[in-house]
Each structure stands twice: as structure tokens, then as C-alpha cells.
Amino acid sequence: MRKLATKLHLRIPGEGQAEESRISALGALTGLAAGPGMGVMLGLGHAAGWRPTRGAQYTVAVVGALVATNGPMTVLGVTDPRTWATSDWISDIVPHLSYAVVTVSVFNRLLGSAPACC
């Protein structure tokens, strides 16, 4: 968040622990946006006539969340996924996969689709 604020010429208010807490909260909020973001992405695809299998919906949701959350950090030089260990990838993918399962399930329920695994 600090690098992004610098690039955008914004100042995160506060000093010391107050500033650190705000930076942490902003990071968490951007992460939480991944769930609704996946829903929006699926909704736009559906509105455009895209009717994939449930498996394809999960894949798109997970990949979309990974790109949306890790892409900006990679571009800003905060992290480099090419250097991640297997445990790093697992700890990153599991929450995105969980969001995808819930988002795809809710999305399809709202559309009136019967639950299906694939």
C-alpha cells in the first residue's frame, strides 16, 4: 500500500503505529474486494452471453483473483511470484480458491441454477 500511495502521490495519514494500522487495513480491504470482484467478473461474462461449465467458472474466479491481488504487487515490485516456494503458493491460492467456491455458488444460486460440481 505504501508503494501504491507513493506512485499515486497520496499520503496515508498518521504516524508510527497509526499509519501502520491504516496501511494494514487498506491492504486487507483490497484483499476483501477480490470476492465481490469475482462476482462482478462472472456477472459481466454472463450478461455478455458466456455460459461456461461450473469448473470453468471456478477457474476464471481463482485466476482472476490471483491476477487482481498479486498483479499490482508484482508490478510495484513488492513481490515476485517467480521466487515463491510451494508453501507460498499454497498459502496464496487457498483463500482465493475458497472465495471462488463461495462466489460461484452464490452467483449460480442467484441465477437459479442447480448446484453442480463441474
Side-chain angles (χ1 to χ4, degrees):
M1 294 311 302
R2 189 173 276 121
K3 280 194 173 192
L4 181 60
T6 300
K7 284 263 189 205
L8 296 174
H9 306 290
L10 298 173
R11 183 183 172 281
I12 298 171
E15 293 180 23
Q17 186 57 45
E19 180 186 29
E20 292 303 317
S21 294
R22 287 185 177 121
I23 290 170
S24 177
L26 288 169
L29 287 172
T30 58
L32 287 172
M38 281 188 265
V40 167
M41 187 170 50
L42 291 171
L44 290 173
H46 185 80
W50 184 56
R51 302 294 187 270
T53 64
R54 195 69 48 102
Q57 288 177 337
Y58 290 130
T59 301
V60 167
V62 170
V63 171
L66 287 168
V67 170
T69 57
N70 295 326
M73 291 190 304
T74 302
V75 169
L76 291 170
V78 174
T79 189
D80 184 353
R82 297 174 296 182
T83 65
W84 292 0
T86 301
S87 60
D88 298 327
W89 276 103
I90 290 170
S91 68
D92 192 60
I93 288 174
V94 168
H96 292 117
L97 188 57
S98 300
Y99 266 125
V101 168
V102 171
T103 302
V104 168
S105 297
V106 169
F107 178 76
N108 285 293
R109 288 287 179 143
L110 290 171
L111 290 175
S113 303
C117 71
C118 308

